[in-house]
Each structure stands twice: as C-alpha cells, then as structure tokens.
Amino acid sequence: MKKKFSPGTAIVIGLSIFAVFIFSVIFMAFNTKVELVATNYYDKSVSFQNDINNQDNANALGKSVSIKGQHKSIVVTIPLDSGFTPSGTVHLFRPSDSSQDKEFILSVDSTGKQTIDMNSLAPGYWKVKLDWQSKGKSYQKEEKIVL
C-alpha cells in the first residue's frame, strides 16, 4: 500500500523546519559577543560637544597633525609650540575585541613625532584617538588604520 503525501503533512513539515530555523537564529543571537566602544557611553555622550570642539581645534592646525599606520607601528605627528611641550594620550581601540584596547601617554620627540610599536598587538583594524593639550587648549584627532 502506498502512502499519500497530503498538503497538511507538507504544512506541518514546513512549519517545523521554520521553527527550527527561528530557534537556531535566536540561539546564535544570544550567544553572540557584543563589544561596546566604551562601558561609560552615557558619560561620553554628555561630553560629545567638547569632543567636537577639540576636533575643530585640531583641524584648525592643518595637515600638521597626522596619525599613520606603518608596518607594525603607528607614527603620531603633532606641531610643537615654542616653549610648550604637549601632554596627552593616544588611545588604541580594537572594535572586534575590547580586551586588546591600549592607552599610551603622549611623548613626542623634538620634531613632534612619536612612534608606537605594535608588535605585541594583533594585526587588523584599529581606531586611534589622540587627545592632547598645549597652551591650555585641548585638541583631538581620530584615525582608522589597518596594520
């Protein structure tokens, strides 16, 4: 005796496959690691206008401010004011893994350059944020680089 394949059976099989698909998508979504740019994002959003003003200050300096990724190093260049040594930080953000984020103290040489060795860090996409102060004025520059 031959069994017939009824439309009701096809509907049940189709809905079952769809349910398995939906549950697998939900399972994968709950197990996906989500990296935040910052854990204190609310505080950072409140000071966002200050960041914009600092970026405008850096842009007013012209092309003399640069962050360049070279083979296994990052070269930061800022203009030096006569008699003033800039102070600040260089933040390295790894969007795919926040545990690799690093922060360095800005320490430029007599030509206004600082080279940061990246041999200990993973190659790939990085966001570099440079914050510095000179003559009581704050500056900020951001670049995206691939090492």
Side-chain angles (χ1 to χ4, degrees):
M1 183 168 172
K2 199 175 187 185
K3 288 191 174 186
K4 288 187 174 183
F5 192 68
S6 69
T9 305
I11 291 173
V12 169
I13 291 172
L15 287 175
S16 298
I17 292 172
F18 179 72
V20 168
F21 170 74
I22 292 297
F23 285 124
S24 64
V25 168
I26 291 171
F27 178 76
M28 288 188 301
F30 277 109
N31 289 324
T32 301
K33 185 177 178 184
V34 176
E35 297 286 337
L36 295 176
V37 173
T39 55
N40 58 345
Y41 61 91
Y42 179 75
D43 294 336
K44 291 199 181 261
S45 69
V46 170
S47 67
F48 186 66
Q49 186 59 46
N50 288 339
D51 291 346
I52 292 172
N53 294 340
N54 294 345
Q55 289 171 3
D56 289 342
N57 291 342
N59 290 338
L61 295 174
K63 293 187 177 187
S64 58
V65 179
S66 69
I67 302 170
K68 296 187 180 188
Q70 297 176 346
H71 183 70
K72 289 293 185 177
S73 67
I74 296 173
V75 178
V76 175
T77 307
I78 61 174
L80 294 177
D81 293 329
S82 58
F84 287 92
T85 303
S87 63
T89 56
V90 180
H91 303 272
L92 303 176
F93 298 104
R94 177 79 174 193
S96 62
D97 186 4
S98 63
S99 68
Q100 293 184 10
D101 292 355
K102 298 286 182 191
E103 184 173 325
F104 299 92
I105 294 177
L106 183 64
S107 175
V108 296
D109 61 13
S110 61
T111 62
K113 291 186 180 183
Q114 178 176 355
T115 302
I116 300 170
D117 184 28
M118 298 292 289
N119 282 325
S120 63
L121 299 176
Y125 181 74
W126 290 86
K127 290 183 181 180
V128 182
K129 181 179 173 186
L130 172 62
D131 288 308
W132 80 99
Q133 298 80 33
S134 182
K135 291 185 178 179
K137 200 170 189 181
S138 296
Y139 303 91
Q140 184 180 79
K141 176 92 172 168
E142 287 187 34
E143 289 290 333
K144 297 170 179 108
I145 61 170
V146 177
L147 294 178

